[in-house]
Every structure is written in structure tokens, then in C-alpha cells.
């Protein structure tokens, strides 16, 4: 058996099922890796040491008793720290929720555990999932395993880094404007955002309710598919979760007769490196049998403006509950009720969160709602319609994921420049479409790049399959050199 | 105050009534919907605003609301949606309420009510469902929050400003309450806050059609408070207009929200409209729109129980009750049901109604009880009335029997009568006859009057005999004896 | 050009008003920074004026398949104990969440 962290989740699970290793051995191996590499990466906010060891023991016992074992048996999975594991803290990367103990399990977490996954830790994120670089965590930033001076992307930077550095083989993220796909691209792993409503949001701390989706990070597409088979279930606790049965992800390598749409005009101003990488990826798709067609998605140039109005509007109300009254940190200097609100929120929220709450409040406020919020909702319809039209002539749309490889920590100061990191990812959230980021190579500085495949609503399986075909023909994904060893620093 | 020429002014009132639907679980939360338990024992993740919790609507709450809409002949929206209403307050678990601002479930509708003997029709503007806030309990050095009520399903019923007096307001509100009781959609318990009323009040010179600035009085939970508050506010506004005829209405009546101070018997300003909240309503992204089919709405319409106004009409036309008596009965469904159960046995609606609404009510008011709460079954009241009807006891004796029924609830009146010889009507002709002779001898004029055709004289003679027998003589026997002897 | 007009009027007073609506206190440095950032973002968002969308319906729910009632049976469940709930509370008393006294309407 290869070193555990060099295996995919499927391979490790099979090894476990065959008896080539024990759950306890797996847990210990990964805990050791986290101990060695964790702090340099800043990937984890909380390592669930004792909990995962108990889980591993129980799993080994289960196998010894010949009981049926789940599809993720023995696989170490990290959970983004804005999703609940009952009894553990959910901080959302914020000081506000430093001491908040989740009172229930997120449905997605329940699904993973029901398939015998080993939950190894809660990963770092931009505070309340607001950010594209994991620099907004109130605790410490996360770093890119390919270059520790660079960002892993965000908001699910911790999950992306953890999987890239093989501190876990699967991780969950949440994607509101690209928070799974962008860090996946920057860290050289697979990141998948399902159709809106495919995975239950119950137990995910809401940021942009009509945009949020939970999805997997994985080292291979097949692993991501396995995670989606597990998490993509109907849920009676989430009114926006689709009443669809679980899906089986059938993956093929052949793209014959698949039509790929390319929005050339929308992609006019790519950086030369990114453009070359993108075109090379498209060539591979053609070589696999796909035909490319031009599609008109010009309206997507308004995506960021639309997104930052709608997401912040929803967030301003979703985060109103954090007021220091029922849970979270209440400011010790609060003497009156007004101070409980004003000071707890002043102290508890980071700068970016405050900005977005205020922006969101502004676009909903009396006199401005028509010009901002309602207008953005209308343009959202136009974006939906543009995609619907595009899908009349193609099966999937292909775009880059990020505008470049990972940038240096602290390099971006202008808020709009930071927001524009999401220009290619936000459209899929606005239109509720399934989208994946698959490693597509490296830039001139050796930093990973990714290719994005976006499908029509509810075509999650197709998107995964097209990505699989590309991946199998290219196999860009690899372990960053610094993390090849077992646990030595 | 009373010297002001009120008759030249017309109060214009709109009522917003919040009624708690009596579902078993809350509107968007599966926690139990129940009043009076220990604080924070009927809660869930949704109704305490836990991060990661999501609303899922209660199907039964929708059904009850639709039932109400259908009962008032309103138009039920086939497509309705929910909105977030933002404001910060400790009793709000999320600091936004989920309500229906843009597309309410119910539009229009009418409510008939009896206002001091006259039947009036009031118009409803709209009604929608929303979730209730928790309860804030005030103490000297702190406040405590109990989320048991947070998330309870409310139906908010908004009338047109078509109410023009305090009595109209309370009659309308009582009629709404009665409808909700008859539908078993709300328990109507005003003390527990199951029904709360806000009034929007303005006045205008009679004949003017435009609306003048209005004032809002919030959260009244008693009909008498409602009437008093409206009366006081109407007087206040009229007085202002009359004493300052040259000032503009908006100056005299700045918009504001008041609450009714029951002890001081006056309205107290809560907040002026300048600091009005900007609720920033926008569509609730966590909830799917409610899409109701014609079949669904029709099935609810077909299954409607008898509504209070129809019962009222039946009592007046079929059972011969006065409008007043009928309205007293129907406004409390439990009382009306009690009456029906008793009438099924006694079959004397007018007498029965009198005993239920006057005789027994009078006896029970001081105890703060009702026939139901005391546990006197309708069969017993029915039997009492039957005994009077059949002449087995006199009205006077019946009153004593009623006293005993109240003192020992659950005791069968037939047993009470059987056990007390004083209640047995004196049927012994032998002992009554001399008294009859005595009365006839002492009242020759009445005898002559009766022979001349005056029936009233006969009743007088009967009364005299009854007086002598201290009400114990069997009226039947006295009647027979008198008739025989006068011939 | 509605957005430009509004943006030009996004100033300190607007920020102070927003502070009240959002219930977030800010110190001077934060105010400066946030004001600058929001003006910048609103300037960017201005471009939405270019889009003609008067006749377009707003997208309130992105999934058409959602146009179906998602409701539940009226069955009460006791999922959150008082103990678990108050376990996260910053301050509690007698089974209630405790907050500083709330000024009753005067």
C-alpha cells in the first residue's frame, strides 16, 4: 500500500475495506500530518483529535463485526467551520462565535458520517464566508501549500489547503460566489459546486441564502463524485433543497458529441498566461471528441455588481441574528441593550463583514431598494436567461476559474479588485448552475490553475463526467512537493 | 370634554388584528405551540434563530388561514410569497420577522357583526400569515427573554378604515374572534394574548371623504380597552381640531405609535414616526412560494363548519331569540355550543337562553367562572328548564335550585328537587284550596275583572296564591283550582 | 442615471444612518475605511444603469422546480432543550436569556 496520503479517497477506502489498514491507523496518520504541517498552512481552526479517534475505533469495531460499511469508510474528511458538527464549535472564522457550540448536525455532515467518513477537523475560512483569499479569518490566515507566502483562495481556503496538502482527502466547502471553485483552482485540487438546492443548507451558517451551496474538495474527480453521491440528498429541514433522489455519478472519458460553449467576448481580457492555459484546456476537450461553439454570455460582465448587491443584501439580514443576545460573544462593556447590539457587533465582526453588512443594508433601504436590489434581481433574470439560451446550443460552458494563479498575501487592497477575483465563478451561483474547477496546469511561477465547466441546472452528473474525462486525459493534480512526506516537517 | 360637538365629526378607524393560530407546532419551526409553560421549553433551532437553521412552513397553519379567508368570502391568492421584515429587538430570534408584505395569502372579504342591535357589514382589506416574536419580561435591573412564543403562527387581519365608532370596533373584533373560534383556528383567549388588536385612528368632519393623519394604538387585548382607547383618542383628536381650527391636521396629529395604559386610562406615546423603522422588506429566499390549487381552496370551502353569523341568523329566525340574546350566545362559541346541546334536550330556546345568559351568568360572574369552567353540564341546565316548562317547579323555586347547582356543580337538578321537600311543588289540593278561597275572597275586584275578560287579573290572582304559598304551590294546581272556582 | 445620483450622495451621514440600521458601532478609523470602500464599490456597481430591464421580472427564486409547496405536517418536536439553548447564552436567569433592562415606552 502506498503512503496513505498518496492515495485517493476511493483507494484509501478500498484499502480499509480490504483490511490493508485500520481506521485508527488512518486517523493517526492524518492527525500526525496535521500536527506537522497544520500551523504553517493555517488550514485548520480545530482539529477533532479525540473525536476522530473514537470514530475510528468504532469503525474498526464495526468492520471486525462484519457489519456493512459506508461508501466513505475510513476516509478522513475535513469540514469547513461554517457547518455544524453537533457539540463542536462552529466559529465561521469569526471572534463572534468563538465559543458557540453547534446544537445540531448539518445534514451534509450527517450524510458523510452515515457513510462512515472520519471527520478530522474544522477548516479555516474567510469570516462568515466573505472573502476570496482566507485573509479575512479573525483567527489567522490560511496559506497556499504550493507557496506559503501566497493565499489559498477563499472563502474555503482552509478546506482547499487541507486537501491539497493531503491533511484530509476530502473536505467540504461552501460556495456563494466561487468559494469552493476559486480556492480549488488556486490550490490545484478539484472543487465542485452543485446545482442550487442539490445539497441541503441545513446546518450551514447562511451567507447568501439564494446563492449558497455546500460542495466537496477532492484530489480527484471520482472522489468528488463519491462525496456528491453522499451529500446530494433531499432534506425536509431545508425548503430550498430539491426533492430529488440521490444520484449515481457515472463517469466517462469520452466527450464525443458533447458540445462545449465558449463565451469568447466575455473572456476577452484574460491575462496571457490564463488565456493560454484556458485555450490549451479547450484543445484537450476537442481532442476528447467535444465540439466547441461560441455562446453569448456578454451579460455576465455585470455579474459581480449584481452579486455584491444580492449577496450582501441577504447577508445583512442573515447576520442580523448575531447580536450578542442569545449566543456568541457579548461585549463585556455593554451596559445597555443598545450597547449589547452595537458593541458586540463592533467587536465581534471583522472589517470585511461590517462592510458587507452595511452595503447590504444600504441596497435594501428605503428609497434605494428599487435602484439597487430590485434592479440586481432583474439582471439576475437576464443572466439566467442568457445561460438558458446558451444551453440550447451546448451541453456545458467552459471558462477559467480564477483570473490568475494565487496572489501574494496582502497584495490586493482595492475592494473591487478583490471582488473581481470572482468574475468567472459568480455567474454559476447567480444562475444556480452546477460548476466544477479541475486542475488545468500551472502558471509561470508554478502556481496551479484550473478550468471551469458549468452545466445546466440539475446536470451535476454530466458536469462531473466531463471534468473526469478532462482529468483523465491530463492528470494535472499532484501533491505539492513540501507535503510529500508522511509527517516530517 | 363632553361639551364638544362630536356629532359633527366622524371617527375613522382601521383595525389590525393579530390572532394566534392554534396549531400544534409553530409556523416555520417544529417546536410545540403552547402557552404557559416554563420559559424556553417550547423551542427549536429555527425559533431561537440558531445559525444554520432554516424555516419550513406548517401546512396546517396554511389551511387554517385559508379557511378564515374562505369564511369571510375573501379572495385566496393562488400564488403568495413571504418577505423578511428587519428590525432589532431581543424578542426577535433572527432580528427579522418572516411575514407576507408583497403578496398576502388573503385579499378582501367581509365580516357581518351586530352593533347594538343593528347588523353591519365591515370590509377586510387583507390578511396574511407571519411568525410571532418571543416575550420580553421586564424587571428592575434586567429583562428576561422567553422564546416559547417566538415563531408561533399569526394571522394578521387588516380591515379597511370602515369602522366609525368604538362600539363598531369592538363588535367587528368580536365577530372576527367568533369566526376564528368557530373554525377552531384560534382559541380566542384574550388574557393569554391569543388575539391582539392595533387600532389606527383618525377623525374628520362628517361629509369629508379624505383621510386625515392618524395615530396608531398597539397591542390591546380586551374589547373594553379597545373601546376606551378609541373613545379617548377620538375625543383627543376632535378637541384638538376644534380648539385649533387654523392649524393644519398634520401639525395637530403628528403620526405616532401609542399604547393603551389601562391603569391611567389613557394612551401613551411609544414612539414618534420620525424614528420609524425602515423594515427593508424583501422576498424571503429560504421559502418557496405558496402555490394553492383551486381544488385545495374548494375542498376547504366545502368543509367549512357553521359560521357565527349564520348561526346568529338561525337563532333569530328559527329559534325566535332576540338579536341581542343571539349575539351574546354566538360570540362565545363554547357558550353557543353549550346552548345547542341543552336545547336539544329542553327544546325551549328562549327560556333556556335566559337561564344560560342571564340567570346562571349572573350567579357565576362574581366567582369569575362560566358554566363550562364550573363543570355544570348542559343536560343539567336543560333539565332545570324542562322542569319549569312541565310545571314541576315554579320559576322561583328554580332560582333556588340554580343556586344549589352552582354551589355543588355537577349535581343533577332533578336530584336537588327530589331531595328537598321545599322544592316539591305543593300539589296537595287540600292545602292549597283554602288559600285559593282566601285570595278570591280578598280580591273581589280582580275576580270581576277576569270575568269581564281581563286575563291580567287572572295572572294577578295566581300571583297572590303563589305569594301565600311562598312560591311552592304547583302553578298547574293553582291554575286549575282558580279556574274551577271562578266559573 | 439613478445609481450615480445615489452614489454621489453616499457620505458620512449615510454611513451614520446605516450604523443605526445595522446596529454596528464603529470607531473613526473604521468609519473612514468603510466609507471609502463602500463609495468605491457603489461606484463600480453604477454600471448596472447601462442595463435596460424595466420589463424584466425580478428573480426571487433561481430554481423553477422550486415552484411547489415545501411544507410539513403539524407535528410538534422537542428538539432543542432549554439546557442546550442556554448553554450558548452569554447571560441567563431563571430559564430566560438575560439582557440589560429594556426601557419601557415612556
Amino acid at each position: 500500500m502506498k503512503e496513505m496520503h498518496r492515495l485517493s479517497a476511493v483507494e484509501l477506502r478500498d484499502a480499509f475495506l480490504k483490511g490493508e489498514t485500520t481506521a485508527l491507523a488512518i486517523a493517526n496518520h492524518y492527525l500526525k500530518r496535521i500536527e506537522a504541517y497544520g500551523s504553517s498552512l493555517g488550514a485548520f481552526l480545530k482539529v477533532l483529535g479525540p473525536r476522530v479517534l473514537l470514530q475510528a475505533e468504532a469503525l474498526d469495531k464495526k468492520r471486525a463485526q462484519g457489519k456493512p460499511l459506508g461508501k466513505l469508510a475510513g476516509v478522513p474528511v475535513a469540514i469547513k467551520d461554517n457547518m455544524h458538527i453537533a457539540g463542536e464549535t462552529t466559529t465561521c472564522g469569526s471572534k463572534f462565535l468563538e465559543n458557540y457550540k453547534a446544537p445540531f448536525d448539518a445534514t451534509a455532515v450527517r450524510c458523510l458520517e452515515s457513510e462512515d467518513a472520519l471527520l478530522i477537523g474544522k477548516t479555516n475560512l474567510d469570516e462568515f464566508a466573505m472573502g476570496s483569499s482566507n485573509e479575512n479569518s479573525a483567527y489567522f490566515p490560511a496559506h497556499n501549500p504550493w507557496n506559503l507566502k501566497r493565499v489559498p483562495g477563499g472563502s474555503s481556503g482552509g478546506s482547499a489547503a487541507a486537501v491539497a496538502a493531503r491533511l484530509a482527502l476530502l473536505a467540504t466547502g461552501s460556495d456563494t460566489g466561487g468559494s469552493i471553485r476559486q480556492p480549488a483552482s488556486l490550490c490545484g485540487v478539484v472543487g465542485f459546486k452543485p446545482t442550487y438546492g442539490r445539497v441541503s443548507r441545513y446546518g450551514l451558517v447562511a451567507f447568501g441564502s439564494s446563492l449558497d451551496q455546500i460542495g466537496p474538495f477532492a484530489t480527484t474527480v471520482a472522489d468528488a463524485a463519491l462525496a456528491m453521491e453522499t451529500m446530494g440528498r433531499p432534506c425536509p429541514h431545508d425548503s430550498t433543497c430539491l426533492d430529488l433522489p440521490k444520484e449515481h455519478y457515472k463517469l466517462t472519458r469520452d466527450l464525443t458529441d458533447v458540445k462545449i460553449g465558449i463565451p469568447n467576448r466575455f473572456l476577452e481580457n484574460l491575462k496571457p498566461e490564463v488565456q493560454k492555459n484556458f485555450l490549451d484546456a479547450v484543445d484537450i476537450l476537442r481532442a476528447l471528441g467535444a465540439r466547441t461553439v461560441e455562446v453569448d454570455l456578454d451579460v455576465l460582465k455585470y455579474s459581480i455588481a449584481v452579486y455584491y448587491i444580492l449577496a450582501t443584501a441577504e447577508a445583512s439580514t442573515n447576520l442580523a441574528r448575531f447580536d450578542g443576545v442569545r449566543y456568541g460573544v457579548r461585549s463585556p462593556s455593554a451596559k445597555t441593550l443598545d450597547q449589547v447590539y452595537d458593541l458586540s457587533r463592533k467587536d465581534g465582526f471583522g472589517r470585511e463583514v461590517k462592510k458587507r453588512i452595511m452595503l447590504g443594508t444600504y441596497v435594501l433601504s428605503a428609497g434605494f431598494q428599487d435602484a439597487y436590489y430590485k434592479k440586481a434581481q432583474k439582471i439576475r433574470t437576464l443572466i439566467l436567461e442568457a445561460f438558458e439560451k446558451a444551453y440550447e446550443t451546448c451541453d456545458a460552458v467552459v471558462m477559467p476559474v480564477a483570473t490568475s494563479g494565487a496572489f501574494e498575501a496582502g497584495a490586493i487592497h482595492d475592494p473591487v479588485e478583490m471582488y473581481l477575483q470572482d468574475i468567472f465563478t459568480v455567474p454559476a451561483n447567480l444562475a444556480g448552475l452546477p460548476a466544477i474547477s479541475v486542475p488545468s496546469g500551472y502558471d509561470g511561477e508554478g502556481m496551479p490553475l484550473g478550468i471551469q465547466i458549468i452545466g445546466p441546472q440539475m446536470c451535476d452528473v454530466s458536469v462531473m463526467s466531463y471534468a473526469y474525462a478532462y482529468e483523465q486525459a491530463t492528470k494535472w493534480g499532484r501533491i505539492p512537493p513540501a507535503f510529500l512526506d508522511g509527517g516530517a516537517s | 370634554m363632553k361639551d364638544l360637538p362630536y356629532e359633527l365629526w366622524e371617527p375613522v378607524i382601521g383595525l389590525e388584528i393579530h390572532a394566534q393560530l392554534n396549531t400544534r407546532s409553530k409556523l416555520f419551526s417544529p417546536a410545540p405551540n403552547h402557552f404557559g409553560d416554563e420559559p424556553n421549553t417550547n423551542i427549536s433551532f429555527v425559533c431561537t434563530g440558531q445559525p444554520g437553521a432554516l424555516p419550513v412552513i406548517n401546512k396546517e397553519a396554511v389551511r387554517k388561514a385559508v379557511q378564515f379567508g374562505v369564511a369571510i368570502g375573501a379572495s385566496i391568492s393562488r400564488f403568495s410569497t413571504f418577505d423578511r421584515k428587519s428590525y432589532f429587538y431581543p424578542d426577535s430570534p433572527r432580528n427579522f420577522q418572516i411575514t407576507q408584505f408583497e403578496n398576502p395569502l388573503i385579499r378582501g372579504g367581509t365580516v357581518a357583526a351586530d352593533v347594538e342591535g343593528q347588523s353591519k357589514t365591515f370590509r377586510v382589506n387583507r390578511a396574511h400569515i407571519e411568525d410571532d416574536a418571543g416575550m420580553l419580561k421586564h424587571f428592575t435591573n434586567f429583562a428576561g427573554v422567553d422564546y416559547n412564543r417566538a415563531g408561533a403562527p399569526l394571522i394578521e387581519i387588516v380591515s379597511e378604515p370602515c369602522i366609525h365608532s368604538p362600539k363598531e370596533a369592538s363588535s367587528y373584533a368580536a365577530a372576527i374572534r367568533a369566526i376564528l373560534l368557530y373554525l377552531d383556528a384560534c382559541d380566542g383567549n384574550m388574557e393569554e394574548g391569543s388575539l391582539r388588536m392595533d387600532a389606527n385612528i383618525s377623525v374628520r368632519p362628517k361629509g369629508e371623504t379624505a383621510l386625515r393623519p392618524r395615530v396608531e394604538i398597539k397591542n390591546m387585548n380586551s374589547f373594553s380597552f379597545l373601546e376606551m382607547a378609541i373613545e379617548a383618542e377620538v375625543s383627543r383628536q376632535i378637541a384638538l381640531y376644534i380648539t385649533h381650527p387654523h392649524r393644519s391636521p398634520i401639525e395637530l396629529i403628528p403620526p405616532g405609535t401609542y399604547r393603551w395604559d389601562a391603569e391611567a386610562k389613557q394612551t401613551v406615546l411609544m414612539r414618534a414616526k420620525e424614528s420609524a423603522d425602515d423594515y427593508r422588506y424583501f422576498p424571503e429566499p429560504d421559502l418557496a412560494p405558496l402555490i394553492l390549487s383551486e381544488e385545495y381552496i374548494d375542498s376547504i370551502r366545502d368543509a367549512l363548519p357553521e359560521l357565527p353569523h349564520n348561526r346568529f341568523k338561525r337563532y333569530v329566525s328559527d329559534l325566535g331569540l332576540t338579536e341581542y340574546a343571539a349575539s351574546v350566545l354566538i360570540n362565545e362559541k363554547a357558550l353557543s355550543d353549550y346552548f345547542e346541546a341543552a336545547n336539544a334536550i329542553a327544546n325551549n330556546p328562549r327560556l333556556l337562553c335566559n337561564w344560560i345568559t342571564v340567570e346562571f351568568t349572573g350567579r357565576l360572574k362574581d366567582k369569575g367562572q362560566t358554566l363550562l369552567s364550573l363543570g355544570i353540564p348542559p343536560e343539567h341546565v336543560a333539565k332545570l328548564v324542562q322542569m319549569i316548562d312541565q310545571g314541576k317547579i315554579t320559576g322561583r323555586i328554580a332560582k333556588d335550585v340554580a343556586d344549589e347547582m352552582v354551589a355543588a356543580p355537577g349535581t343533577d337538578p332533578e336530584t336537588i328537587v327530589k331531595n328537598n321537600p321545599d322544592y316539591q311543588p305543593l300539589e296537595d289540593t287540600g292545602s292549597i284550596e283554602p288559600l285559593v278561597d282566601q285570595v278570591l275572597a280578598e280580591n273581589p275586584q280582580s275576580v270581576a275583572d277576569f270575568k269581564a275578560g281581563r286575563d291580567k287579573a287572572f295572572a294577578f290572582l295566581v300571583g297572590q296564591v303563589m305569594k301565600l304559598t311562598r312560591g311552592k304551590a304547583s302553578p298547574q294546581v293553582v291554575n286549575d283550582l282558580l279556574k274551577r272556582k271562578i266559573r | 442615471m439613478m445609481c450615480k445620483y445615489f452614489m454621489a450622495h453616499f457620505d458620512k451621514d449615510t454611513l451614520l444612518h446605516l450604523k443605526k440600521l445595522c446596529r454596528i458601532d464603529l470607531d473613526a478609523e473604521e468609519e473612514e475605511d468603510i466609507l471609502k470602500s463602500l463609495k468605491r464599490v457603489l461606484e463600480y456597481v453604477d454600471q448596472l444603469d447601462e442595463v435596460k430591464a424595466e420589463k424584466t421580472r425580478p428573480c426571487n427564486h433561481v430554481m423553477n422546480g422550486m415552484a411547489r409547496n415545501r411544507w410539513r405536517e403539524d407535528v410538534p418536536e422537542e428538539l432543542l432543550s432549554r439546557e442546550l439553548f442556554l448553554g450558548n447564552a452569554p447571560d441567563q436567569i431563571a430559564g430566560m436569556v438575560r439582557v440589560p433592562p429594556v426601557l419601557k415606552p415612556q
Side-chain angles (χ1 to χ4, degrees), chain B residues 376-397:
Chain B
I376 300 177
E379 297 75 44
H380 288 184
V381 177
K383 279 191 192 176
L384 185 65
V385 166
Q386 269 179 325
M387 286 195 285
I388 299 172
D389 243 357
Q390 291 159 1
K392 289 207 180 124
I393 53 173
T394 64
R396 258 237 36 208
I397 290 180

Side-chain angles (χ1 to χ4, degrees), chain A residues 60-77:
Chain A
D60 282 332
K61 200 187 278 181
K62 209 170 152 186
R63 187 182 54 175
Q65 289 169 339
K67 295 208 172 113
L69 298 170
K71 294 217 279 275
L72 290 172
V75 176
V77 177

Side-chain angles (χ1 to χ4, degrees), chain B residues 425-457:
Chain B
L426 203 52
E427 290 190 330
D428 170 19
T429 321
S431 39
I432 297 180
E433 197 164 351
L435 301 171
V436 169
D437 291 334
Q438 183 185 332
V439 164
L440 288 175
E442 288 176 357
N443 298 279
Q445 185 58 46
S446 301
V447 176
D449 286 345
F450 175 62
K451 282 191 177 153
R454 299 235 190 89
D455 289 331
K456 262 207 192 138

